[in-house]
Amino acid sequence: KQEVTQIPAALSVPEGENLVLNCSFTDSAIYNLQWFRQDPGKGLTSLLLIQSSQREQTSGRLNASLDKSSGRSTLYIAASQPGDSATYLCAVLDSWGKFQFGAGTQVVVTP
Amino acid sequence: GAVVSQHPSWVICKSGTSVKIECRSLDFQATTMFWYRQFPKQSLMLMATSNEGSKATYEQGVEKDKFLINHASLTLSTLTVTSAHPEDSSFYICSAYKNRDSYNEQFFGPGTRLTVL
């Protein structure tokens, strides 16, 4: 059974620092991997989607890498801002269309 | 883009009553939708896969008679929590599968917060 782990569980950084969020998964047979942001009491906002054949995706200050063979993905957020404070979820999609989510990393960016 | 809506966004009900939550794909057709549940400070857990025109597939440990799923059209799936109890209080999120040119992508609804008194 696929297991997705996110480290660290919580992270607090001063504004301007770069954020590095880690995600690992046990089964490399994934269809894609997706990073989401979730604000308290809200739904999910998709940040980046990486197909299984891709190594990375970039959008603005966000960059996500994928190493399927080692079962790892990393989300980098450059020059963090207080508005980046949220919980970041990593999810892997299998060929049946089912997502397995990690527990998330709670990020606080202090002004 | 692809938009998925949920209704209601929040609901409070008495123990023993039934609650229906709707999930709609607004600008695309979705033959497959998914229902997730999220307890406070926990991640999303898949409850069931909803397929248009056929029975839903439930994950292990999810009671199909308690969580009734109906996917009667290509844009609407409903989740009915029957005889709700306080332990069913949770955040319910749906997603819909959209077929793109070379891959499929899921789009998530904004969620429904259910509180059972």
Side-chain angles (χ1 to χ4, degrees):
Chain A
K1 183 189 173 188
Q2 178 76 270
E3 291 184 6
V4 181
T5 304
Q6 289 187 246
I7 295 173
L11 185 60
S12 181
V13 298
E15 183 177 4
E17 267 198 19
N18 297 330
L19 288 163
V20 181
L21 309 180
N22 297 298
C23 172
S24 62
F25 47 95
T26 55
D27 187 348
S28 62
I30 64 172
Y31 187 75
N32 66 38
L33 183 145
Q34 202 159 351
W35 283 93
F36 296 90
R37 168 187 172 136
Q38 186 175 32
D39 292 290
K42 303 294 184 182
L44 304 180
T45 299
S46 178
L47 298 175
L48 290 168
L49 182 153
I50 312 176
Q51 296 297 324
S52 62
S53 59
Q54 297 175 324
R55 299 283 291 183
E56 68 175 348
Q57 279 289 334
T58 298
S59 176
R61 295 185 293 114
L62 277 59
N63 173 277
S65 65
L66 174 63
D67 184 341
K68 250 183 35 170
S69 60
S70 66
R72 293 179 183 176
S73 176
T74 302
L75 176 67
Y76 300 90
I77 303 177
S80 62
Q81 303 169 358
D84 295 328
S85 298
T87 296
Y88 292 82
L89 297 169
C90 163
V92 296
L93 188 70
D94 65 20
S95 57
W96 297 98
K98 295 183 179 181
F99 266 121
Q100 184 69 40
F101 281 84
T105 295
Q106 186 173 5
V107 171
V108 175
V109 180
T110 55
Chain B
V3 180
V4 177
S5 70
Q6 281 185 241
H7 178 80
S9 55
W10 59 270
V11 56
I12 301 173
C13 69
K14 292 183 179 180
S15 185
T17 60
S18 295
V19 175
K20 180 184 285 188
I21 303 171
E22 293 184 349
C23 176
R24 293 182 185 273
S25 55
L26 297 184
D27 52 359
F28 66 99
Q29 294 183 331
T31 56
T32 303
M33 294 183 175
F34 299 88
W35 286 96
Y36 296 82
R37 179 168 53 182
Q38 185 179 34
F39 291 109
K41 297 193 181 298
Q42 296 185 26
S43 193
L44 279 75
M45 296 297 294
L46 179 65
M47 299 175 64
T49 303
S50 171
N51 298 298
E52 187 267 338
S54 64
K55 290 183 179 180
T57 305
Y58 292 82
E59 295 300 301
Q60 191 172 11
V62 178
E63 301 174 57
K64 62 179 182 180
D65 294 330
K66 181 168 185 61
F67 298 99
L68 301 179
I69 291 174
N70 185 284
H71 194 156
S73 78
L74 288 172
T75 59
L76 173 65
S77 175
T78 60
L79 169 68
T80 300
V81 183
T82 62
S83 187
H85 289 95
E87 58 266 31
D88 298 322
S89 298
S90 186
F91 194 51
Y92 293 86
I93 302 178
C94 72
S95 70
Y97 226 7
K98 180 177 182 181
N99 182 263
R100 290 179 173 266
D101 289 338
S102 58
Y103 63 93
N104 296 324
E105 185 174 353
Q106 281 191 39
F107 295 88
F108 286 80
T112 296
R113 181 156 310 277
L114 170 64
T115 302
V116 184
L117 302 177

